[in-house]
Amino acid sequence: MKKCDLLQLVKFGTVGFFNTLLDYGSFYVFFALLNINKNPAQILATVISMTNSYFVNRYWTFERRGKIRRREVIRFVVVNVLSLSVTLLCLNLFHDVFQLHKWANEILAYWNYSFELSGDFEVMFCKMAALPFSWGVNFFGNRFWVFGKKTERNVT
């Protein structure tokens, strides 16, 4: 891996960390505080974090300059819709089908922890388990398709 690729990965990870906080914070507000169903809550949280992600990744991570091009925005939205789809698929599979939170509670009980995932925390835990899947789609989509062409970088 080249030094510039590693730097991009670190920058993307940093932006991703803060966008994840923004996404989880927004999701929690919509889902737990405003009592919006988990799927629309996730969509709203994604729109907020996706907008932030576009601008920070464009200008800082992938160092794009110049005019924002419609094609780039469309590609970014497509990658994020795909990433959102992966998140929703995993969230619903992990919570509703596999009931991952119950497995986690069994492990916690086995280790004699008094904490148990219940209520909103069940969904938040399953959302966290979906993160690596959506993060992978997002990074590779942005790196190689949205912001990937070196000839378009730093255009003024």
Side-chain angles (χ1 to χ4, degrees):
M1 180 177 267
K2 294 185 282 185
K3 186 177 178 180
C4 65
D5 292 337
L6 183 59
L7 180 60
Q8 274 187 346
L9 183 60
V10 169
K11 285 180 172 183
F12 190 85
T14 302
V15 173
F17 174 78
F18 287 106
N19 272 328
T20 299
L21 292 178
L22 180 60
D23 176 73
Y24 277 77
S26 301
F27 179 80
Y28 184 79
V29 168
F30 295 131
F31 176 72
L33 301 180
L34 298 178
N35 295 315
I36 297 174
N37 180 278
K38 70 182 181 292
N39 294 327
Q42 180 58 57
I43 292 168
L44 291 169
T46 296
V47 168
I48 291 168
S49 61
M50 180 177 73
T51 302
N52 184 65
S53 176
Y54 174 77
F55 289 106
V56 177
N57 278 317
R58 182 180 202 279
Y59 292 109
W60 185 59
T61 304
F62 299 107
E63 300 177 358
R64 285 289 180 94
R65 302 291 182 254
K67 184 179 176 183
I68 294 175
R69 303 192 189 288
R70 184 177 353 162
R71 180 175 157 186
E72 181 181 271
V73 173
I74 290 169
R75 285 181 175 194
F76 185 83
V77 169
V78 168
V79 167
N80 278 275
V81 167
L82 182 58
S83 180
L84 170 63
S85 300
V86 168
T87 298
L88 290 171
L89 175 67
C90 290
L91 175 61
N92 285 287
L93 281 174
F94 294 163
H95 185 266
D96 301 335
V97 177
F98 301 134
Q99 298 185 348
L100 201 59
H101 53 284
K102 289 184 179 181
W103 294 13
N105 283 334
E106 288 181 24
I107 291 169
L108 290 169
Y110 177 79
W111 288 339
N112 292 320
Y113 284 105
S114 60
F115 179 77
E116 183 175 302
L117 296 167
S118 62
D120 296 340
F121 291 108
E122 292 176 1
V123 175
M124 296 300 287
F125 174 77
C126 292
K127 178 175 166 37
M128 193 177 309
L131 181 63
F133 301 97
S134 63
W135 191 85
V137 168
N138 207 309
F139 176 74
F140 289 110
N142 279 293
R143 170 68 175 92
F144 295 109
W145 193 48
V146 178
F147 301 112
K149 293 186 179 183
K150 292 181 181 182
T151 56
E152 293 180 12
R153 283 194 198 138
N154 299 319
V155 175
T156 53

